[in-house]
Amino acid sequence: MSQILEAGSLSGKTALVTGSSRGIGADTVRYFAEAGANVVINFRNKAPRAEKLAAELRGLGVEALVVGADLTDAESVQAMFDEVARTFGSLDILVLNASGGMEAGMAEDYALQLNRDAQVRVLETALPLLGEGSRVVFVTSHQAHFIRTTPTMPEYVPVALSKRAGEDALRERIPALEAQGVEFVVVSGDMIEGTITATLLERANPGAISSRRESAGRLYNVSEFAAEVAQAGVDAIPAGHTRLVGDTGSFAGE
């Protein structure tokens, strides 16, 4: 990974990335720390990995708070933000990265619980910590963002529909966020090489990722996409804007 944000540009700021013990979330939180931000590393069940990342980032001279939370549980989410409040007092960047729905053995409505209900819960619970000029970034996929106009592979449909529902529910809150001085943006990416979702899709539908890669020309890897997410946390872009990362030629308009 190379430096993406300017060194020191986020000094004195605090950023929280959900699902940041690994993958896109971990690289996003690393970019923020490299720019001087204090960071909150959130995990569900990967505590050792989160602690290892925190130790690495503290070596950069920033504070790194590790907080486990089940985003589908209201009390767990509240406890996370209570700890953020005690440690940092406020929050400047909130990245809603954690998602799922393809895991085995989950309830039928788990995707909707995590990708819609939990996203709204996290945002609303964070609001008291978000002040004028703060930024919320929702991370999604083209397959979800464009699901109403472009079909996706059957195995991904429940996740895509639930993530689009989550995006819509968050967008409904833009006027209230703007009244508080909080900016909301979306980053949508094509399938990302090396993610858990890509692995699960390939397992369910062998050849799915290579087929998508061939259609798109290339797919972003985890660190490349995380760089786009991190930039969306700081760039001067209009509230409600969707940053489209990777090929969109296969997808119909909004």
Side-chain angles (χ1 to χ4, degrees):
M1 269 173 60
S2 58
Q3 181 76 39
I4 297 298
L5 306 179
E6 184 180 348
S9 61
L10 292 179
S11 295
K13 304 288 188 181
T14 301
L16 185 155
V17 181
T18 62
S20 48
S21 65
R22 64 182 177 183
I24 293 165
D27 279 359
T28 301
V29 89
R30 186 180 284 111
Y31 285 130
F32 288 145
E34 288 176 346
N38 296 320
V39 295
V40 183
I41 300 168
N42 160 250
F43 70 95
R44 186 179 64 179
N45 54 17
K46 301 290 182 183
R49 195 174 296 186
E51 292 290 356
K52 182 179 179 181
L53 176 60
E56 173 196 335
L57 300 186
R58 290 176 190 129
L60 300 173
V62 303
E63 290 187 62
L65 174 66
V66 177
V67 189
D70 176 355
L71 303 187
T72 64
D73 180 83
E75 290 185 4
S76 184
V77 171
Q78 184 64 61
M80 175 172 68
F81 285 108
D82 287 346
E83 193 163 346
V84 173
R86 284 192 296 270
T87 304
F88 297 117
S90 62
L91 197 57
D92 300 285
I93 303 171
L94 171 63
V95 178
L96 300 172
N97 164 72
S99 64
M102 293 192 66
E103 301 88 339
M106 295 297 187
E108 188 176 342
D109 64 345
Y110 176 70
L112 205 55
Q113 286 183 38
L114 178 59
N115 298 329
R116 183 193 65 188
D117 302 345
Q119 306 303 317
V120 173
R121 177 183 299 112
V122 170
L123 174 59
E124 292 183 341
T125 310
L127 275 179
L129 299 176
L130 296 168
E132 183 78 31
S134 58
R135 174 76 58 86
V136 177
V137 181
F138 177 66
V139 181
T140 189
S141 66
H142 293 349
Q143 288 75 13
H145 183 69
F146 293 105
I147 187 61
R148 295 204 185 94
T149 51
T150 305
T152 189
M153 54 195 79
E155 297 83 0
Y156 193 65
V157 168
V159 176
L161 289 171
S162 64
K163 285 185 70 67
R164 182 66 221 204
E167 179 181 340
D168 292 344
L170 291 166
R171 286 185 179 280
E172 288 175 3
R173 284 152 176 81
I174 289 177
L177 293 174
E178 289 182 329
Q180 191 172 316
V182 179
E183 300 167 352
F184 174 82
V185 299
V186 174
V187 179
S188 176
D190 203 342
M191 289 296 174
I192 309 299
E193 301 265 20
T195 61
I196 296 298
T197 297
T199 300
L200 292 174
L201 279 173
E202 187 66 23
R203 189 176 300 161
N205 186 356
I209 302 306
S210 58
S211 175
R212 182 63 206 141
R213 187 189 306 114
E214 185 176 342
S215 297
R218 72 177 288 262
L219 297 177
Y220 276 59
N221 64 33
V222 167
S223 64
E224 289 172 330
F225 184 64
E228 297 285 349
V229 174
Q231 284 289 164
V234 300
D235 283 354
I237 49 182
H241 175 75
T242 301
R243 172 169 287 181
L244 300 174
V245 179
D247 174 63
T248 58
S250 304
F251 298 90
E254 294 271 2

